[in-house]
Amino acid sequence: MELGLVGLGKMGGNMRERIRRAGHTVIGYDRNPDLADAASLEELVSQLQGPRVVWVMVPAGAATQSTIDELGSLLSPGDVVIDGGNSRWTDDEKHAAELADKGIGFVDCGVSGGVWGLENGYALMYGGDSEHVAKAQPIFDALKPPGDLGAVHAGKVGAGHFAKMVHNGIEYAMMQAFAEGWELLEAVDSVTDVREVFRNWQEGTVIRSWLLDLAVRALDDDEHLEKLRGFAQDSGEGRWTVEAAIDHAVPLPAITASLFARFGSRQDDSPSMKMIAALRNQFGGHAVESSKK
Amino acid sequence: MELGLVGLGKMGGNMRERIRRAGHTVIGYDRNPDLADAASLEELVSQLQGPRVVWVMVPAGAATQSTIDELGSLLSPGDVVIDGGNSRWTDDEKHAAELADKGIGFVDCGVSGGVWGLENGYALMYGGDSEHVAKAQPIFDALKPPGDLGAVHAGKVGAGHFAKMVHNGIEYAMMQAFAEGWELLEAVDSVTDVREVFRNWQEGTVIRSWLLDLAVRALDDDEHLEKLRGFAQDSGEGRWTVEAAIDHAVPLPAITASLFARFGSRQDDSPSMKMIAALRNQFGGHAVESSKK
Amino acid sequence: MELGLVGLGKMGGNMRERIRRAGHTVIGYDRNPDLADAASLEELVSQLQGPRVVWVMVPAGAATQSTIDELGSLLSPGDVVIDGGNSRWTDDEKHAAELADKGIGFVDCGVSGGVWGLENGYALMYGGDSEHVAKAQPIFDALKPPGDLGAVHAGKVGAGHFAKMVHNGIEYAMMQAFAEGWELLEAVDSVTDVREVFRNWQEGTVIRSWLLDLAVRALDDDEHLEKLRGFAQDSGEGRWTVEAAIDHAVPLPAITASLFARFGSRQDDSPSMKMIAALRNQFGGHAVESSKK
Amino acid sequence: MELGLVGLGKMGGNMRERIRRAGHTVIGYDRNPDLADAASLEELVSQLQGPRVVWVMVPAGAATQSTIDELGSLLSPGDVVIDGGNSRWTDDEKHAAELADKGIGFVDCGVSGGVWGLENGYALMYGGDSEHVAKAQPIFDALKPPGDLGAVHAGKVGAGHFAKMVHNGIEYAMMQAFAEGWELLEAVDSVTDVREVFRNWQEGTVIRSWLLDLAVRALDDDEHLEKLRGFAQDSGEGRWTVEAAIDHAVPLPAITASLFARFGSRQDDSPSMKMIAALRNQFGGHAVESSKK
């Protein structure tokens, strides 16, 4: 089938390649003309035969909103827009309604796979009406990993991004689990080869997992991670997971601890710990250390 | 080779079977004569040719201590005792010293694999002097999973149990990660098939893992886990992990949150939340609920 | 001076009384005619001489919005509206802008004091332009506790509710601190009189505080809190505090733990702990307990 | 009455002064002869008339153990030793048993008050048999704050240190509560005077407390705590509180979060966050930052 693909960055570019390898036609658009197949969104739309399917793979927020707005004015009733970016699930219902007013379908799709997706396939979680999902099914089949698993129609509009968001929340806490365990093993004298412990955990243990495999790869590059700074960004989904949990009064202690650990990793000095130091000094006369600045 | 194996419960019995399948001779002893090959520890020791290797697989604490004490009086210099139970790592150095006084070697070995170990092999983490480990190596090879991974000489005496303990700490937080994510997905209306989301996460995602596979098995038995009570025991290693972290001033927020969630799951009513309710009533006149009792 | 006061519930009614005791004229309106001085908002506004000051003390959200909307159509340029309810700080800027279009000033005011405020005074944190604050100053002076402290112009519009929200977040964690300590003391045998420990902590300790005084009052009513269920509501500010922290990438582990403890207290059974139990059963054959239902 | 006092550091020296002001005779010993009244423990004991009461105020652990050992050999049946240091409660039963073998009584006493105790009095929590407590009662009365509160016989031997330990655990979480709230207020633009917010919280709020008063003092010295480094020691009691909670399966999320925040404050770089950064790089190609070293 034919697909219009908007956004040809690291993710979008690889996805185009994987879809083409499956025998489909992809017309890609990107603001960077060196990456693009069509010179404009208008040209992209004009080159597709209806009913059209256009996959949006641009940064969440303003870029996604303006792309969907423009597609809304270019596409025709019966066409379908898929938002495959990292949009917050709360945006999906709004986007679906805006497009539905023009007879255009909408599917939200969370995509997992990162730099490994081109070769291994991308895990897909999508939400929306079955008739809209059906139009995009050949593309989902091309992107997903081989076998029966890796792509799921999770529910209504928004369910795809919601499921992907929770996936990332779980990912945060799993990463934190390995990170805490690694730090503790590195802290004791009796365990003399932490990397070999991690490596051998890959078989027969309860914690065997792809993240463990990746941890071993990282330790093979740099046994004690001495080259790295303990500085971790977060990309939105972790925050949204906690916010969704608060909305539903669901306690998420491990996932939230993982998010806060990242926040802390980005502070040069901790304001709250300054206050702790100040209070200890006030009541106990405990010594304080001067600011690093 | 020949092995003496003390403790033929769920774990020990399966381990005897797996070692025998690998062609070794196992003489097992258990307090339950229906399970035992030898009628006493004394008989077990007398049936082994020196240098003997005896694997202790009994509950941590008093049972392990008394078994090691008795073996200390029965074995000869050059023999080796392996503690494969869930002993706290701090016991290992003591046990090693007691046996070393008699010329007997000691290896501590953490074993992971549960009910799946008989078929898939057991992941092993062991600590001790290389000469003692070498004497037990054929047994380690018989127990471990096929392939190059799954057994590691982690370091000095105590390192095996320490590494296994940290494995379990990581396991706690990984389980908590999936549990939190599942609860959140179940709480929202838009995601209409949480089980299918979990099932499809098994391919292509960052969180694919054996624990995820097991979660899918559990959901296939009982889609919304309605038959179960949210009640989780803990077996010691999670507590010890947090205590070890405190000893080394290592922050373990996610693992500790996972341990505390289990503690909370076993309370019929939360004393601390009674105090919160009482305080809210005191300052705000907020309504309280009467005790369930 | 004259004040219009909208909302005469538990808080609003007591505040009317305290303001009147200070010699001011209060015309109150409430949907419940038994409580009201004026029959309608329109009548309330007509009875005040300009420039008018109207204090809104109704539930946050729809009720506050509709009251402010209606006041916007009734009041005149130069009048001032104070929102003293528990509005989310993000609503304040919107309300201020809506009123500013009509030349009406807006001040947001967080109020602490609960059932004790009538006698002891209410702590006030307000935000807005100085000229608008100045018009309400006599009312703030009437409501606040005696002495130099207890009322603060915290900053711009929204700062009052933001400061009150953070106050409540701190309150959550302080309450949790006492609750955790109390639970631990009650759990050990050696401490034979926990209530007396709490009572005596009221002098000379680092933790002496009003909340401790209230805890002692609660324990005097019910030494082991046996009459209460460990069930705690949360009123919005705790959630908003965590959300604000996420917006600013500020780690709030203790406050968030306190919020999650309340969420957990309201669950009959924990879905996440069902998953933990299910996973333990899958990998280790650990026994599970049946659902209470 | 007469008291022997061993340890005349910051705490012990001030306590000698306060006891003397109450009209008692104190013979103090310290390794530092400039501080001491007696040249040796032996001399101290010889100067006291029986039945003697000797207060030990030296660092927990080895120093306390050796002092108690030496006193055990110097004192007579009917004498009483009070351990007023920060000993772990688990040491108390051992010390009591060792002294009981010689007919010497033992009382453990947790002391709160820090640098403010000389003027305001020290809060005291003590454990032991009533007959031993009675012999020390005049000293407790001299040290405690004026009024009816501030000194409590908490229970059996060990109960005093246990209660003091829990006091400090609560203190950790209360300090963390204020620290988190302060950090969040400082992070937003709308609140323009955080120090004034804190100052005014001292009256009429739910969170008014001595720690809040101290926070205001600290902010008066250094409004944004710019001179300080966010680096906080912990003194043992926080760790022991968490360990005691683990022993009793009591969840302590807020207190533990507070302890871990201090651990984190002392790390130049976080090993666990290095692992998070490494994993993000592995699966997503996310950029990493180089080590600061």
Side-chain angles (χ1 to χ4, degrees):
Chain A
M1 67 174 277
E2 286 182 346
L3 179 74
L5 177 56
V6 184
L8 300 165
K10 195 162 56 172
M11 282 289 280
N14 279 346
M15 289 166 68
R16 176 172 62 177
E17 175 64 17
R18 187 169 173 94
I19 298 168
R20 283 180 174 164
R21 286 186 191 170
H24 300 294
T25 298
V26 182
I27 299 169
Y29 169 73
D30 196 276
R31 290 184 311 176
N32 177 349
D34 296 343
L35 303 173
D37 306 312
S40 66
L41 269 189
E42 194 167 6
E43 186 183 310
L44 177 145
V45 168
S46 71
Q47 291 185 17
L48 294 169
Q49 290 189 306
R52 303 177 191 87
V53 178
V54 181
W55 187 294
V56 178
M57 204 70 198
V58 303
T64 294
Q65 182 67 54
S66 70
T67 303
I68 288 176
D69 287 347
E70 195 174 348
L71 288 171
S73 66
L74 295 169
L75 294 173
S76 307
D79 294 347
V80 170
V81 171
I82 303 164
D83 179 7
N86 286 321
S87 295
R88 191 176 163 128
W89 87 100
T90 44
D91 290 341
D92 293 321
E93 220 168 310
K94 179 167 167 287
H95 293 159
E98 289 164 0
L99 293 169
D101 286 345
K102 296 166 178 164
I104 304 167
F106 177 81
V107 174
D108 61 288
C109 183
V111 181
S112 179
V115 295
W116 300 76
L118 174 57
E119 296 310 322
N120 298 352
Y122 297 90
L124 306 174
M125 295 136 258
Y126 33 86
D129 291 351
S130 292
E131 60 168 318
H132 303 141
V133 167
K135 288 180 183 164
Q137 194 65 52
I139 303 302
F140 294 147
D141 292 342
L143 285 170
K144 71 183 285 292
D148 294 335
L149 301 173
V152 62
H153 186 177
K156 304 172 196 169
V157 161
H161 280 135
F162 196 93
K164 173 56 165 48
M165 176 194 80
V166 174
H167 165 279
N168 283 33
I170 294 171
E171 174 193 306
Y172 273 52
M174 287 177 68
M175 290 166 72
Q176 182 72 19
F178 284 113
E180 293 181 3
W182 183 75
E183 177 169 341
L184 181 54
L185 285 174
E186 287 277 331
V188 298
D189 291 332
S190 65
V191 179
T192 51
D193 197 337
V194 175
R195 181 168 60 180
E196 284 309 298
V197 170
F198 262 62
R199 188 190 314 286
N200 280 283
W201 277 347
Q202 290 176 101
E203 290 294 339
T205 66
V206 177
I207 64 177
R208 60 191 192 261
S209 54
W210 192 53
L211 277 166
L212 176 60
D213 298 343
L214 295 180
V216 172
R217 287 175 59 100
L219 296 175
D220 278 339
D221 284 353
D222 182 4
E223 183 172 356
H224 301 291
L225 303 181
E226 290 164 327
K227 297 177 204 155
L228 289 180
R229 194 173 148 212
F231 180 99
Q233 294 290 359
D234 72 283
S235 56
E237 285 93 348
R239 298 180 185 211
W240 300 337
T241 302
V242 178
E243 289 170 355
I246 290 174
D247 286 347
H248 291 86
V250 168
L252 288 198
I255 291 173
T256 307
S258 309
L259 179 66
F260 287 165
R262 293 192 183 190
F263 289 173
S265 80
R266 304 201 298 263
Q267 296 183 321
D268 267 341
D269 201 357
S270 163
S272 60
M273 288 300 113
K274 287 171 178 264
M275 177 54 85
I276 299 289
L279 288 170
R280 293 185 82 238
N281 178 256
Q282 286 290 333
F283 69 70
H286 299 289
V288 294
E289 300 212 357
S290 295
S291 169
K292 285 180 276 190
K293 287 167 198 170
Chain B
M1 67 174 275
E2 287 183 346
L3 179 75
L5 177 56
V6 184
L8 299 165
K10 194 163 56 174
M11 282 289 280
N14 280 346
M15 290 166 69
R16 175 172 62 177
E17 176 63 18
R18 187 169 173 94
I19 299 168
R20 283 180 174 163
R21 287 185 190 172
H24 300 295
T25 299
V26 181
I27 299 168
Y29 169 73
D30 195 277
R31 287 183 313 176
N32 178 347
D34 295 343
L35 303 172
D37 306 313
S40 66
L41 269 189
E42 194 167 5
E43 188 183 308
L44 176 146
V45 169
S46 72
Q47 291 184 19
L48 295 168
Q49 289 189 307
R52 301 176 192 88
V53 178
V54 180
W55 187 295
V56 179
M57 203 70 197
V58 302
T64 294
Q65 182 67 55
S66 70
T67 302
I68 288 175
D69 287 346
E70 195 173 348
L71 288 171
S73 67
L74 294 169
L75 294 173
S76 307
D79 293 347
V80 169
V81 170
I82 302 164
D83 179 7
N86 285 322
S87 295
R88 192 176 161 128
W89 88 99
T90 43
D91 290 341
D92 293 321
E93 219 169 310
K94 179 168 167 287
H95 293 157
E98 288 165 0
L99 293 169
D101 286 345
K102 295 164 178 164
I104 303 167
F106 177 82
V107 174
D108 61 288
C109 183
V111 180
S112 179
V115 295
W116 299 77
L118 174 57
E119 295 311 321
N120 298 353
Y122 297 90
L124 306 173
M125 296 135 257
Y126 32 87
D129 291 351
S130 291
E131 61 169 318
H132 302 142
V133 167
K135 288 179 182 164
Q137 195 64 52
I139 303 304
F140 294 147
D141 292 343
L143 285 170
K144 72 183 284 293
D148 293 335
L149 301 173
V152 63
H153 186 179
K156 302 173 196 168
V157 161
H161 279 133
F162 196 93
K164 173 57 165 48
M165 175 194 81
V166 174
H167 165 278
N168 284 33
I170 293 170
E171 174 193 306
Y172 274 52
M174 287 177 68
M175 290 165 73
Q176 183 72 19
F178 283 113
E180 293 180 3
W182 182 75
E183 178 169 341
L184 181 54
L185 285 174
E186 287 277 330
V188 297
D189 291 331
S190 66
V191 179
T192 50
D193 197 337
V194 175
R195 181 167 63 180
E196 283 308 299
V197 170
F198 262 63
R199 188 190 314 287
N200 280 284
W201 277 347
Q202 291 176 99
E203 291 294 339
T205 66
V206 177
I207 63 176
R208 59 191 192 260
S209 55
W210 192 54
L211 277 166
L212 176 60
D213 299 343
L214 294 180
V216 173
R217 286 176 60 100
L219 296 175
D220 278 339
D221 284 353
D222 181 5
E223 183 173 355
H224 301 291
L225 303 180
E226 289 164 327
K227 297 177 202 154
L228 288 180
R229 196 176 146 209
F231 180 98
Q233 294 290 356
D234 72 283
S235 57
E237 285 93 346
R239 299 180 185 210
W240 301 337
T241 302
V242 178
E243 289 170 356
I246 289 174
D247 287 347
H248 291 86
V250 168
L252 288 198
I255 291 174
T256 306
S258 309
L259 179 66
F260 286 166
R262 294 193 184 189
F263 288 174
S265 80
R266 303 201 298 264
Q267 297 183 321
D268 266 341
D269 200 358
S270 162
S272 59
M273 287 301 112
K274 286 170 179 266
M275 178 55 86
I276 299 290
L279 289 170
R280 294 185 82 236
N281 178 257
Q282 286 290 333
F283 69 70
H286 298 289
V288 294
E289 300 213 357
S290 296
S291 168
K292 285 180 277 192
K293 287 167 195 165
Chain C
M1 67 173 276
E2 287 183 344
L3 178 76
L5 176 56
V6 184
L8 299 166
K10 195 163 55 174
M11 281 290 279
N14 280 346
M15 289 165 69
R16 175 173 61 177
E17 175 65 17
R18 187 170 175 93
I19 299 167
R20 284 180 174 164
R21 288 186 190 171
H24 300 294
T25 299
V26 182
I27 300 168
Y29 170 73
D30 195 276
R31 289 184 311 177
N32 178 349
D34 294 344
L35 303 172
D37 306 313
S40 66
L41 271 189
E42 194 167 5
E43 186 183 310
L44 176 145
V45 169
S46 71
Q47 293 185 16
L48 294 170
Q49 290 189 306
R52 304 176 191 88
V53 179
V54 181
W55 187 295
V56 179
M57 203 69 197
V58 302
T64 294
Q65 181 68 54
S66 69
T67 302
I68 288 176
D69 288 346
E70 196 174 348
L71 287 171
S73 67
L74 295 168
L75 294 173
S76 308
D79 294 347
V80 169
V81 171
I82 302 164
D83 179 7
N86 286 321
S87 295
R88 191 176 162 128
W89 87 99
T90 44
D91 290 341
D92 293 322
E93 220 168 310
K94 180 168 166 286
H95 293 157
E98 289 165 359
L99 293 169
D101 286 345
K102 296 166 177 162
I104 304 166
F106 178 80
V107 174
D108 60 288
C109 182
V111 180
S112 179
V115 294
W116 301 78
L118 174 57
E119 296 309 322
N120 298 352
Y122 298 90
L124 306 174
M125 296 135 257
Y126 32 88
D129 291 351
S130 292
E131 62 168 316
H132 303 140
V133 167
K135 288 180 182 163
Q137 194 66 52
I139 304 302
F140 294 147
D141 291 343
L143 285 170
K144 72 181 286 292
D148 294 335
L149 301 173
V152 63
H153 186 178
K156 303 172 196 169
V157 161
H161 280 135
F162 196 94
K164 173 57 165 49
M165 176 194 80
V166 174
H167 165 278
N168 282 33
I170 294 171
E171 173 193 305
Y172 274 51
M174 286 177 69
M175 290 165 73
Q176 183 72 19
F178 284 113
E180 293 181 3
W182 183 75
E183 178 170 342
L184 181 54
L185 285 173
E186 286 278 330
V188 298
D189 291 332
S190 65
V191 179
T192 50
D193 197 337
V194 175
R195 182 168 60 179
E196 283 309 299
V197 171
F198 262 62
R199 189 190 315 285
N200 280 283
W201 278 346
Q202 291 175 101
E203 289 294 340
T205 66
V206 177
I207 63 177
R208 59 191 192 260
S209 55
W210 193 54
L211 277 166
L212 176 61
D213 298 343
L214 294 180
V216 172
R217 286 175 59 100
L219 295 175
D220 278 339
D221 283 353
D222 181 5
E223 183 173 355
H224 302 290
L225 303 181
E226 289 164 326
K227 297 178 203 154
L228 288 180
R229 196 174 147 211
F231 181 98
Q233 294 290 357
D234 71 283
S235 56
E237 286 92 348
R239 299 180 184 210
W240 300 337
T241 302
V242 178
E243 289 171 354
I246 290 175
D247 287 347
H248 290 87
V250 168
L252 288 198
I255 291 174
T256 307
S258 310
L259 179 66
F260 287 165
R262 293 192 184 190
F263 289 173
S265 80
R266 303 201 298 265
Q267 296 184 322
D268 267 341
D269 201 358
S270 162
S272 60
M273 287 300 112
K274 287 171 178 264
M275 178 55 85
I276 299 289
L279 288 170
R280 294 185 82 237
N281 178 256
Q282 286 290 332
F283 69 70
H286 298 290
V288 293
E289 301 211 358
S290 296
S291 168
K292 284 179 275 191
K293 288 168 194 168
Chain D
M1 67 174 276
E2 287 182 346
L3 179 75
L5 177 55
V6 185
L8 300 165
K10 194 163 55 174
M11 282 289 279
N14 279 346
M15 289 165 69
R16 176 173 61 179
E17 176 63 18
R18 187 169 174 92
I19 299 167
R20 283 180 175 163
R21 288 185 191 171
H24 301 292
T25 299
V26 182
I27 300 169
Y29 169 73
D30 195 277
R31 288 183 312 175
N32 178 348
D34 295 344
L35 304 172
D37 306 312
S40 66
L41 270 189
E42 195 168 5
E43 188 183 309
L44 176 145
V45 169
S46 72
Q47 291 185 18
L48 295 169
Q49 289 190 307
R52 303 177 191 87
V53 178
V54 181
W55 187 295
V56 179
M57 203 69 198
V58 302
T64 294
Q65 182 67 55
S66 69
T67 303
I68 288 176
D69 287 346
E70 196 173 347
L71 287 172
S73 67
L74 293 170
L75 294 174
S76 306
D79 293 347
V80 170
V81 171
I82 302 164
D83 179 7
N86 286 320
S87 295
R88 190 175 163 129
W89 88 99
T90 45
D91 290 341
D92 294 321
E93 219 168 311
K94 180 169 167 285
H95 293 157
E98 288 164 0
L99 292 170
D101 285 345
K102 295 165 178 163
I104 304 166
F106 178 80
V107 174
D108 61 288
C109 183
V111 180
S112 180
V115 295
W116 299 76
L118 173 56
E119 296 310 321
N120 298 352
Y122 298 90
L124 306 175
M125 297 136 255
Y126 32 87
D129 291 351
S130 291
E131 61 169 315
H132 303 141
V133 167
K135 288 181 183 164
Q137 194 64 51
I139 303 302
F140 294 146
D141 291 343
L143 286 169
K144 73 183 286 293
D148 294 335
L149 300 173
V152 62
H153 186 178
K156 303 172 195 170
V157 161
H161 279 135
F162 196 93
K164 173 57 165 49
M165 175 194 80
V166 175
H167 165 277
N168 283 33
I170 293 170
E171 174 193 305
Y172 274 51
M174 286 177 68
M175 290 166 74
Q176 183 72 20
F178 284 112
E180 293 181 3
W182 182 75
E183 177 169 341
L184 181 54
L185 285 174
E186 286 279 329
V188 297
D189 290 332
S190 65
V191 179
T192 50
D193 197 337
V194 175
R195 181 167 62 179
E196 283 310 298
V197 171
F198 263 63
R199 188 190 316 285
N200 281 284
W201 278 346
Q202 290 175 102
E203 290 294 340
T205 66
V206 177
I207 63 176
R208 58 192 193 259
S209 55
W210 192 54
L211 277 166
L212 176 61
D213 298 343
L214 294 180
V216 172
R217 287 176 59 101
L219 296 175
D220 278 339
D221 283 353
D222 181 5
E223 183 173 355
H224 302 290
L225 303 180
E226 289 164 327
K227 298 179 202 152
L228 288 180
R229 195 175 146 211
F231 180 99
Q233 293 291 356
D234 71 282
S235 57
E237 286 92 348
R239 299 180 184 211
W240 301 337
T241 302
V242 178
E243 290 170 354
I246 290 175
D247 287 346
H248 291 86
V250 168
L252 289 197
I255 291 174
T256 305
S258 309
L259 179 66
F260 287 166
R262 294 194 183 188
F263 288 174
S265 80
R266 303 201 298 265
Q267 296 184 322
D268 266 341
D269 200 359
S270 163
S272 60
M273 287 301 112
K274 287 170 178 265
M275 177 55 85
I276 299 290
L279 287 170
R280 293 186 81 238
N281 178 256
Q282 286 290 332
F283 69 69
H286 298 290
V288 294
E289 300 212 359
S290 296
S291 168
K292 286 181 276 192
K293 287 168 196 166

